[in-house]
Amino acid sequence: MPCFEPFMKHSKNPALRESLYRSFIKRASEGDHDNTQVIEDIRKLRKEKAGLLGYDNFAALSLEMKMASNVDNVWKLINSLKDKSKIASEKEYSELQSFANENGFQGKLQLWDMAYWSERRREHLFKMNDEILRPYFPLPKVLHGLFNLTSFLFNVQIIPDFDESVETWHPDVKFFNINDENGNRVASFFLDPFSRPAEKRGGAWMDTCLDKSELLNQRPVAYLICNQSPPVDGRTSLMTFREVETLFHEFGHGLQHMLTKVPYASAAGIHNIEWDAVEFPSQFMENWVYDEDTMKLISGHYRTGEPLPRHLFDQLIKARKYMAGSGMLRQLYFSALDMELHTSTDSWQDVMNRVADEYTVIKPLQEDRFPCSFQHIFASGYAAGYYSYKWAEVMSADAFEAFEEVGLQNRDALAVTGLRFRNTVLALGGGTHPTEVFKQFRGREPSPDALLKSYGLS
């Protein structure tokens, strides 16, 4: 993927794009690495396992331990998003076809043309890129804004360990304490912000160092790990917008770990939370980077201190909705395919063809063998659970809408709503079923309306 996607977006040679695409869709389906029968064996064994435990199929077994609870609820989610996503996707394809034809492309767009022309149209519509935005996101400014937002919303204080009394594994690593409204320390976290390729994997993540335990008189401690470019020649570390978004995401995980009120380590913080609800707080925090007041907090040109200009912020908002229907429909295709593969006894080829007819605008090529490399459901924990991405996103958008409803500039009402979020979503951890947690915060079960609205699909 690190090579495939950039090539498909930027190669001007359609013949090479087609060649690479046709090879890519057949991976893990030929020769010594042919998974064609392997995935059928996995499906068979999973069905047998489910039967031994008294379930009709593996999906029913998997969902017994998830917030969705049953297959019908998953299909209800998928269907609630499908129709509007497909209508939008068909419109996006038509617009992309027109744009390509207007810019020298002849004929009908093929699957290997989509990424290339989508990127060209993105560049045409939005006159910005990472290097234009990066100067406005120096890491210290982003952190200062993130911590201020967190302190305001959840009535806590985030305080650096100025005494440097806690040992760290690298000079760049900083340690912070979180105090409650009474000044009592409730949690702490390590922040390791910079890339060190020789000793640190890429990406960003949050993990637990210590879990909350009243029995052990132990406060929670988290790790927050990033891979920003380190300062060079005295210039501060500058972040891409995607890195800012990711930082907010991982800090959302950290807040659920650190602000837990559950007294038992096995159910405190992020522990024991159902698979399809674990991304809820992290995706919720991402929404704040699209709030204008928050953007003023977290942005400031590294030379002048000027916040991100309004025209660039407006472009970010519009770019978020670009090809949103196609992106949503793609995720629903994967979710439906996963669910069908774990409920149907038909061959995976027949399942894929049936699902593709309903969830794609351009049908897959006959030689497409995508399930053979669908690692999420055959080699990790997302079997009969791929829908979890959209399930949590529905919750996060609905929760953020609670803040929008009271007014994002109404500080008193925001503080009240934020405290309710802290005392429910962030506090109750794995000790309360997430459906009940959401109801305590929102007063009802999640609705997909806010998610559709946020992407311009309502």
Side-chain angles (χ1 to χ4, degrees):
M1 294 296 278
C3 298
F4 174 76
E5 289 185 356
F7 185 89
M8 298 304 291
K9 285 181 178 181
H10 299 291
S11 173
K12 297 180 180 180
N13 189 323
L16 286 179
R17 293 201 306 267
E18 178 181 0
S19 178
L20 178 60
Y21 182 84
R22 289 184 180 274
S23 297
F24 186 76
I25 62 174
K26 293 188 292 184
R27 65 197 188 283
S29 67
E30 299 174 314
D32 294 337
H33 303 288
D34 187 353
N35 285 337
T36 303
Q37 186 57 43
V38 173
I39 60 177
E40 290 290 48
D41 293 342
I42 292 173
R43 292 175 68 208
K44 179 182 177 181
L45 290 170
R46 285 174 175 171
K47 182 172 176 56
E48 288 181 7
K49 176 182 178 180
L52 289 171
L53 295 172
Y55 295 89
D56 291 339
N57 49 60
F58 183 78
L61 169 61
S62 173
L63 291 163
E64 178 74 18
M65 298 171 285
K66 294 181 171 66
M67 180 179 171
S69 300
N70 60 62
V71 174
D72 288 344
N73 285 336
V74 175
W75 283 118
K76 182 179 178 182
L77 167 78
I78 293 172
N79 290 329
S80 71
L81 299 171
K82 181 190 72 173
D83 291 343
K84 290 182 177 179
S85 298
K86 191 168 185 180
I87 291 170
S89 183
E90 290 169 343
K91 180 182 178 183
E92 290 162 359
Y93 174 72
S94 176
E95 291 172 345
L96 195 61
Q97 179 73 63
S98 298
F99 174 81
N101 292 149
E102 291 166 3
N103 286 273
F105 181 81
Q106 297 180 346
K108 186 177 181 181
L109 288 174
Q110 302 297 321
L111 287 162
W112 50 86
D113 299 317
M114 295 299 291
Y116 176 81
W117 284 106
S118 177
E119 194 64 19
R120 301 293 76 75
R121 187 163 185 255
R122 182 195 300 274
E123 293 169 350
H124 173 74
L125 292 173
F126 311 112
K127 310 298 183 184
M128 64 177 185
N129 55 43
D130 282 345
E131 298 314 308
I132 291 175
L133 296 175
R134 192 191 296 269
Y136 291 96
F137 297 113
L139 178 61
K141 178 65 175 179
V142 175
L143 288 174
H144 180 75
L146 171 59
F147 294 166
N148 276 352
L149 174 70
T150 301
S151 299
F152 166 68
L153 287 177
F154 307 128
N155 199 18
V156 295
Q157 295 175 298
I158 301 176
I159 303 171
D161 180 37
F162 293 113
D163 296 333
E164 299 184 350
S165 58
V166 175
E167 184 178 1
T168 64
W169 55 92
H170 190 276
D172 289 338
V173 178
K174 305 302 178 186
F175 189 75
F176 297 83
N177 295 311
I178 298 183
N179 294 350
D180 65 15
E181 58 272 23
N182 298 315
N184 300 314
R185 185 178 305 175
V186 295
S188 304
F189 64 96
F190 293 92
L191 173 65
D192 187 352
F194 302 128
S195 173
R196 297 190 299 278
E199 61 182 81
K200 189 177 174 185
R201 65 180 170 91
W205 65 95
M206 170 268 162
D207 208 345
T208 62
C209 176
L210 293 174
D211 301 318
K212 180 179 176 65
S213 172
E214 288 191 359
L215 178 65
L216 300 176
N217 193 28
Q218 182 171 280
R219 291 186 292 265
V221 179
Y223 302 107
L224 185 63
I225 312 297
C226 304
N227 267 285
Q228 316 309 140
S229 300
V232 177
D233 297 329
R235 192 180 79 169
T236 187
S237 173
L238 302 177
M239 305 176 71
T240 66
F241 179 71
R242 179 58 186 152
E243 288 170 342
V244 173
E245 203 172 27
T246 301
L247 176 63
F248 271 67
H249 179 103
E250 298 304 333
F251 201 64
H253 283 306
L255 289 171
Q256 188 171 38
H257 175 65
M258 294 184 287
L259 298 184
T260 184
K261 294 290 183 66
V262 179
Y264 309 108
S266 60
I270 62 174
H271 296 294
N272 200 47
I273 294 177
E274 283 74 358
W275 188 273
D276 44 4
V278 74
E279 294 293 331
F280 171 22
S282 53
Q283 292 184 347
F284 164 80
M285 286 299 294
E286 287 184 40
N287 288 288
W288 288 100
V289 302
Y290 295 97
D291 167 51
E292 186 176 4
D293 288 339
T294 302
M295 182 56 68
K296 293 175 183 176
L297 280 177
I298 64 174
S299 65
H301 196 283
Y302 75 101
R303 286 178 177 163
T304 66
E306 175 195 6
L308 187 73
R310 179 59 188 264
H311 73 277
L312 288 177
F313 178 72
D314 290 342
Q315 292 280 63
L316 283 175
I317 298 297
K318 293 176 182 177
R320 187 188 193 192
K321 299 176 182 179
Y322 177 65
M323 299 295 285
S326 301
M328 181 89 73
L329 191 65
R330 182 173 184 267
Q331 290 299 304
L332 296 177
Y333 169 55
F334 294 158
S335 300
L337 179 62
D338 171 36
M339 202 53 53
E340 284 278 7
L341 286 169
H342 289 105
T343 54
S344 173
T345 57
D346 295 341
S347 72
W348 66 258
Q349 291 99 330
D350 289 341
V351 169
M352 177 182 168
N353 291 336
R354 183 169 68 246
V355 173
D357 283 342
E358 193 171 355
Y359 288 87
T360 60
V361 173
I362 309 179
K363 299 300 177 281
L365 299 181
Q366 187 174 358
E367 66 263 36
D368 195 316
R369 298 292 184 269
F370 167 68
C372 290
S373 59
F374 199 174
Q375 295 185 60
H376 276 79
I377 68 169
F378 288 118
S380 71
Y382 279 92
Y386 194 90
Y387 76 92
S388 298
Y389 289 109
K390 277 290 169 262
W391 188 276
E393 197 175 1
V394 163
M395 295 171 69
S396 69
D398 196 342
F400 187 72
E401 191 173 56
F403 290 81
E404 292 179 311
E405 287 170 355
V406 301
L408 293 177
Q409 274 134 15
N410 185 340
R411 291 184 62 83
D412 290 341
L414 282 181
V416 171
T417 309
L419 190 59
R420 189 169 76 247
F421 189 89
R422 171 188 165 183
N423 290 334
T424 53
V425 178
L426 300 180
L428 298 179
T432 305
H433 194 278
T435 300
E436 178 60 28
V437 173
F438 193 89
K439 284 181 178 179
Q440 287 188 34
F441 171 67
R442 201 70 169 100
R444 55 168 174 75
E445 293 191 1
S447 164
D449 294 345
L451 179 62
L452 290 169
K453 178 183 174 183
S454 70
Y455 285 112
L457 302 176
S458 57

